[in-house]
Amino acid sequence: MTHIAYRGTGPAINDALGGRVQEQFGGVPALIQHVKSGRLRGVGVTTEHRSNAAPDIPAIAETLPGYEASLWFGIWGPKGVPKTVVDRWIKELNRIVQIPEVQERMAWEGLDPVSKGPEPFRRVIAADVVKWRLVVEQASLKN
């Protein structure tokens, strides 16, 4: 494979749609509409399990056990936010992601909402730091 450093998702998708590149790694939200329309073929998702937005596309981990490279979003606040405020945020976020319109939009975007609170989120971040540091070291990547 030859890596092409695009200046954004749009130009990369355009080249994939136009047949100028043979494959593209990209986020489900940006690509799912093209897969559903048949203009692109989904080969695999990098999450640990299949995506709810594209259950027919296998997870790469089904062929390569242990493979996982997830995109996640988090809610951040300044250091020292009182626990009562954090608890309220979590309660409200959990309520919001249960709204049918929100669930529908998140599913359309290929997003699977997970709300576990600050400690599990810290563990996700810490595990990602370890995993990606190892990738950088093993690939001898430099700034």
Side-chain angles (χ1 to χ4, degrees):
M1 280 194 248
T2 300
H3 176 261
I4 301 170
Y6 282 93
R7 290 184 175 257
T9 302
I13 290 173
N14 287 339
D15 278 0
L17 290 170
R20 289 179 287 283
V21 295
Q22 294 178 332
E23 66 178 276
Q24 180 194 1
F25 273 79
V28 170
L31 296 169
I32 191 65
Q33 63 184 327
H34 303 295
V35 172
K36 287 182 177 181
S37 74
R39 294 184 70 200
L40 292 177
R41 178 175 165 231
V43 176
V45 294
T46 62
T47 49
E48 184 179 4
H49 304 287
R50 291 179 184 223
S51 169
N52 288 336
D56 294 337
I57 301 173
I60 293 172
E62 293 175 33
T63 303
L64 184 61
Y67 185 92
E68 185 272 337
S70 297
L71 171 67
W72 48 259
F73 298 92
I75 304 297
W76 304 81
K79 184 176 182 177
V81 173
K83 183 178 181 333
T84 56
V85 173
V86 172
D87 290 345
R88 174 78 189 269
W89 284 351
I90 293 167
K91 179 182 174 187
E92 289 302 311
L93 287 168
N94 284 332
R95 181 186 64 77
I96 290 166
V97 299
Q98 295 305 314
I99 297 170
E101 294 84 2
V102 173
Q103 288 184 338
E104 183 179 312
R105 179 59 190 244
M106 291 182 80
W108 184 85
E109 294 281 352
L111 302 172
D112 299 321
V114 176
S115 178
K116 296 180 181 177
E119 289 309 315
F121 186 36
R122 281 187 190 93
R123 287 193 294 274
V124 166
I125 294 167
D128 269 4
V129 167
V130 169
K131 174 174 55 180
W132 294 112
R133 180 177 288 141
L134 183 61
V135 169
V136 168
E137 289 171 0
Q138 288 181 348
S140 301
L141 300 175
K142 303 285 182 209
N143 252 352

